[in-house]
């Protein structure tokens, strides 16, 4: 009997080696799914850099020349279109429901336009490093419309005043500062775009980066430069902030007042709440996250079911060993602690093995755009180990109790 028991224990520990490799593979799979999900939701936890509530957006459009309603402006087209725009904006601003009206180019969130530009320090000789980001051109009032958030505690109105003075607003991103200058390096310097000798700027304030969607991580820097609505005819985006609770009333007024929608050849397309644009843009990210969560839940359930089957069988094979230990004076608690402790040791070894294999991969070939810090990897490693430990504990506890309830004489009667 003793020889058979030793043989069984030897076979069990050979099986443990394969089990350790299996648990290590499961650990890596859960890590990859969890870290992939984190890269998708981490951006949602960051400030989005704007407030979309009570904001409508539209675009300036011109009546085509082939339309019978088109008026021929001749050589004065640009000047007259500018006149049309000023007239339309003035009528909207006169509404009792409107707080602010801004216009711009690539100024609004919830679109995936990216105008990559770099600012250099013009007053630093031979300065070859710049600060890169997504260029957003806007009139000062747009800072009020979007309620941009200053890191120095400036109000949107104060930020608008900075833009009116020709200053630039800058938001840092995870890549922008890694690849070039940090914002601290820009303070107090004369700034300009590479290759542009016509305009220079000073840093007005540091703001939260204006993300393109609620879920997008703030990876890109943000460069907000001022524009003059009286001269920059290329600005086509219109954004209107209405007073709280007045959205429906303003839209009704807009639709029922032709003078607010059109002036000669220029008209404003129908109003759309900025929050609606956010729902459309964020929907695909939300669906992707839900799919990843569902896959994770299914994988974890499969793993736990697999552990239940594996350790139920292992404990069943040790029924005779448990009986002998009971005869030798071991209590039920002693046996449970021993068997569960052996399972937890397997989890520990497999976790260390997974870390030895996975860390070099996750920090190298499988690196996820720089989002994975060492602390984050350790956190996911700990969570995965806890899940596996809980699964193994549950898988062992019940069959171990059943095995301990069998009388030793019955358990070893065939030996």
């Amino acid at each position: 009997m003793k020889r058979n028991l030793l043989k069984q224990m030897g076979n069990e520990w050979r099986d443990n080696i394969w089990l350790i490799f299996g648990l290590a593979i499961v650990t890596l799979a859960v890590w990859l799914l969890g870290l992939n999900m984190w890269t998708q939701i981490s951006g949602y936890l960051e400030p989005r850099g704007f407030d979309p509530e009570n904001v409508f957006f539209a675009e300036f459009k011109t009546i085509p020349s082939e339309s019978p309603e088109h008026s021929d402006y001749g050589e004065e087209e640009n000047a007259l279109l500018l006149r049309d725009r000023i007239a339309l904006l003035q009528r909207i601003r006169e509404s009792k429901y409107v707080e602010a009206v801004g216009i711009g180019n690539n100024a609004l969130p919830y679109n995936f336009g990216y105008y990559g530009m770099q600012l250099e320090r013009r007053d630093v000789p031979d300065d070859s490093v710049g600060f890169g980001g997504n260029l957003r051109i806007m009139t000062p009032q747009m800072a009020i419309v979007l309620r941009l958030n200053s890191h120095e505690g400036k109000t949107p109105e104060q930020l608008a005043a900075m833009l009116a003075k020709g200053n630039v607003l800058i938001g840092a991103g995870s890549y922008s500062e890694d690849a070039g200058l940090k914002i601290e390096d820009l303070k107090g310097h004369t700034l300009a775009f590479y290759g542009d000798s016509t305009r220079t700027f000073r840093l007005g304030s540091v703001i939260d980066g204006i993300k393109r969607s609620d879920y997008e991580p703030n990876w890109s820097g943000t460069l907000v430069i001022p524009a003059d609505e009286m001269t920059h005819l290329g600005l086509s985006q219109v954004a209107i902030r209405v007073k709280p609770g007045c959205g429906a009333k303003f839209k009704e007024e807009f639709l029922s007042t032709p003078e607010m929608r059109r002036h000669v050849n220029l008209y404003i397309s129908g109003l759309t709440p900025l929050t609606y644009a956010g729902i459309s843009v964020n929907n695909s990210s939300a669906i992707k996250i839900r799919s990843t969560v569902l896959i994770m839940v299914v994988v974890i359930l499969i793993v736990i079911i697999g552990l239940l089957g594996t350790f139920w069988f292992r404990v069943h094979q040790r029924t005779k060993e448990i009986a002998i230990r009971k005869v030798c004076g071991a209590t039920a608690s002693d046996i449970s602690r021993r068997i569960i402790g052996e399972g937890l040791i397997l989890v520990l070894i497999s976790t260390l093995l997974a870390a030895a294999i996975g860390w070099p991969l996750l920090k190298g070939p499988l690196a996820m755009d720089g989002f994975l810090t060492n602390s984050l990897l350790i956190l996911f490693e700990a969570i995965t180990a806890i899940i596996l430990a809980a699964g193994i504990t549950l898988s062992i506890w019940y069959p171990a109790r059943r095995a301990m309830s069998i009388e030793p004489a019955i358990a070893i009667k065939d030996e």
Side-chain angles (χ1 to χ4, degrees), residues 134-295:
N134 190 6
L135 179 64
R136 297 186 179 272
I137 305 169
M138 61 180 68
T139 60
Q141 286 288 302
M142 189 68 86
I144 301 174
V145 172
L146 295 178
R147 296 206 185 284
L148 301 184
N149 183 46
S150 167
H151 288 192
E152 288 95 12
K154 305 295 183 182
T155 65
E157 289 74 16
Q158 289 173 318
L159 296 178
M162 293 176 180
L163 288 173
K165 292 179 181 178
N167 294 324
V168 63
L169 308 178
I170 296 179
S174 56
Y175 286 171
S176 58
E177 290 196 322
D178 290 343
L181 295 173
K182 297 184 181 300
I183 288 182
E184 291 296 324
D185 301 326
L186 303 177
K187 294 181 178 180
H189 290 279
T190 300
L191 308 174
F193 293 118
Y194 279 122
D196 185 355
S197 59
T198 60
R199 297 185 69 183
T200 58
F201 309 93
R202 304 285 287 188
L203 175 58
S205 182
V206 180
I207 61 172
D208 288 334
I210 304 174
K211 299 194 301 182
R212 298 181 300 178
S213 76
D214 292 349
Y215 288 94
E216 180 183 46
N218 187 22
W219 61 272
S220 170
T222 298
L223 305 175
V224 176
I225 66 168
D228 182 0
E229 67 183 43
M230 303 294 289
T231 58
H232 287 76
L233 190 60
L235 303 177
S236 62
Q237 295 175 326
V238 188
I240 305 160
R241 174 167 288 278
V242 299
K243 297 175 182 178
C246 295
K249 295 178 181 178
F250 170 72
K251 192 168 185 179
E252 181 181 352
E253 178 188 29
F254 178 83
L255 294 175
S256 62
T257 309
E259 294 80 9
M260 294 178 68
R261 303 196 308 271
R262 176 185 170 186
H263 189 274
V264 192
N265 279 348
L266 194 68
Y267 68 97
I268 295 177
S269 61
L271 299 177
T272 302
L274 193 56
T275 52
Y276 285 12
I279 292 172
S280 175
V281 168
N282 294 326
N283 190 49
S284 60
S285 297
I287 292 174
K288 187 176 181 181
I289 290 172
R290 287 196 293 268
S291 299
T292 304
V293 171
L294 179 61
I295 292 172

